[in-house]
């Protein structure tokens, strides 16, 4: 089973709202990722959590705040977003161990975010 | 700047033909290479990964890797209209958990 779930599927929010995106996996993976994808562009890495610790932050603005409550859950807290933040937000997970075989990432279905 | 380059397409092939998708990368230290399929409005779906020079086959899909030429390709045999999607090449870079995606090649299989 290579299932990563994300909620909600769609989210519309105003620039003053606070909302959260949720991601869950039950594959025993120890690394989880947030990506942002704009139309006709490839996914852009935002954050990586490895063994529940933030290991990569790709200089993302502070209005995006990640949280990893446990090894199965990943949240992305949103506050004071701008219309240009509208995008598909993708969560991914991977086994999380380093070896010759690079961690293979499996994506969730994404949350389509619209900021008004 | 570590880059992954793909022809954006669209690549149009008739149903039943072989589709050949290509990708080049700049980081000679890259060790692992992935192909994802992404339907419009959906998330990327892993098709294959490869890390050894040569060919790797899985059903109708064959990935080919040539590290000396910094080139990876995906062949789709007996292409079906349902294969019409954008194919993303991804290469690990800057660590084992960090991958760089190409801009993707849009494939259209014509019935």
């Amino acid at each position: 089973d290579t299932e990563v779930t994300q909620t909600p599927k769609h989210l519309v929010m105003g620039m003053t709202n606070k909302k959260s995106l949720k991601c869950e996996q039950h594959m025993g993976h120890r690394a989880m990722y947030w990506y942002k994808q704009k139309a006709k562009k490839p996914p852009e890495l935002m954050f990586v959590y490895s063994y529940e610790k933030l290991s990569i932050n790709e200089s993302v603005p502070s209005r995006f705040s990640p949280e990893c409550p446990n090894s199965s859950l990943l949240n992305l807290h949103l506050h004071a977003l701008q219309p240009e933040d509208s995008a598909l937000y993708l969560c991914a997970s991977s086994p999380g161990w380093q070896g010759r075989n690079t961690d293979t990432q499996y994506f969730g279905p994404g949350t389509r975010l619209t900021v008004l | 700047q570590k880059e992954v380059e793909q022809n954006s397409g669209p690549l149009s092939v008739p149903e039943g033909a072989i589709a050949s998708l290509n990708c080049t990368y700049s980081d000679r230290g890259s060790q692992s290479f992935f192909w994802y399929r992404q339907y419009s409005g959906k998330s990327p779906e892993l098709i294959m990964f490869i890390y050894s020079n040569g060919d790797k086959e899985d059903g109708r899909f064959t990935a080919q890797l040539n590290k000396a030429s910094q080139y990876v390709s995906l062949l789709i045999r007996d292409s079906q209209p349902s294969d019409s999607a954008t194919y993303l090449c991804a290469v690990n870079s800057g660590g084992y958990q960090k991958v760089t995606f190409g801009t993707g090649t849009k494939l259209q299989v014509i019935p």
Side-chain angles (χ1 to χ4, degrees):
Chain A
D1 184 10
T2 54
E3 186 175 352
V4 178
T5 60
Q6 289 187 244
T7 56
K9 287 187 171 56
H10 300 275
L11 179 63
V12 179
M13 61 186 290
M15 290 190 284
T16 59
N17 292 158
K18 287 185 182 181
K19 297 286 185 183
S20 297
L21 309 184
K22 297 185 185 301
C23 174
E24 189 167 6
Q25 57 87 16
H26 293 289
M27 297 178 279
H29 287 176
R30 301 311 300 270
M32 297 185 77
Y33 308 73
W34 281 115
Y35 287 86
K36 173 183 177 179
Q37 187 176 26
K38 303 281 273 185
K40 300 190 188 303
K41 298 289 187 183
E44 296 176 33
L45 183 64
M46 301 174 72
F47 304 103
V48 181
Y49 273 84
S50 181
Y51 290 81
E52 297 152 56
K53 291 190 182 341
L54 184 64
S55 59
I56 297 177
N57 178 340
E58 291 289 87
S59 302
V60 178
S62 60
R63 57 185 184 269
F64 296 92
S65 176
E67 178 195 19
C68 188
N70 60 55
S71 60
S72 300
L73 291 173
L74 185 66
N75 298 321
L76 185 64
H77 302 297
L78 313 173
H79 174 55
L81 295 192
Q82 303 297 310
E84 58 264 29
D85 296 321
S86 298
L88 180 67
Y89 287 83
L90 296 162
C91 174
S93 72
S94 66
W97 39 264
Q98 183 175 4
R100 185 171 180 274
N101 308 335
T102 295
D103 248 355
T104 300
Q105 297 180 28
Y106 299 91
F107 285 86
T111 294
R112 177 74 59 188
L113 174 67
T114 302
V115 181
L116 301 177
Chain B
Q1 180 78 15
K2 297 179 176 118
E3 294 182 348
V4 178
E5 295 189 359
Q6 297 180 255
N7 188 320
S8 60
L11 171 67
S12 294
V13 299
E15 184 174 354
I18 295 176
S20 178
L21 305 164
N22 304 316
C23 173
T24 58
Y25 60 95
S26 62
D27 182 4
R28 285 196 169 273
S30 296
Q31 294 192 13
S32 296
F33 309 85
F34 306 87
W35 283 101
Y36 288 87
R37 176 176 63 196
Q38 187 170 27
Y39 293 110
S40 181
K42 302 295 186 182
S43 64
E45 173 191 7
L46 180 70
I47 297 176
M48 294 186 71
F49 58 86
I50 185 168
Y51 28 79
S52 299
N53 275 329
D55 295 0
K56 179 181 179 182
E57 186 174 321
D58 184 1
R60 295 187 295 114
F61 299 97
T62 299
Q64 299 175 317
L65 175 62
N66 184 325
K67 289 186 179 180
S69 300
Q70 295 177 245
Y71 176 90
V72 58
S73 65
L74 180 70
L75 301 178
I76 307 175
R77 288 182 300 281
D78 188 24
S79 295
Q80 301 297 309
S82 59
D83 295 325
S84 298
T86 295
Y87 288 80
L88 297 165
C89 173
V91 177
N92 87 298
S93 58
Y96 72 103
Q97 287 177 329
K98 194 168 178 179
V99 296
T100 299
F101 285 87
T103 52
T105 298
K106 185 172 183 178
L107 173 67
Q108 294 177 340
V109 180
I110 312 299

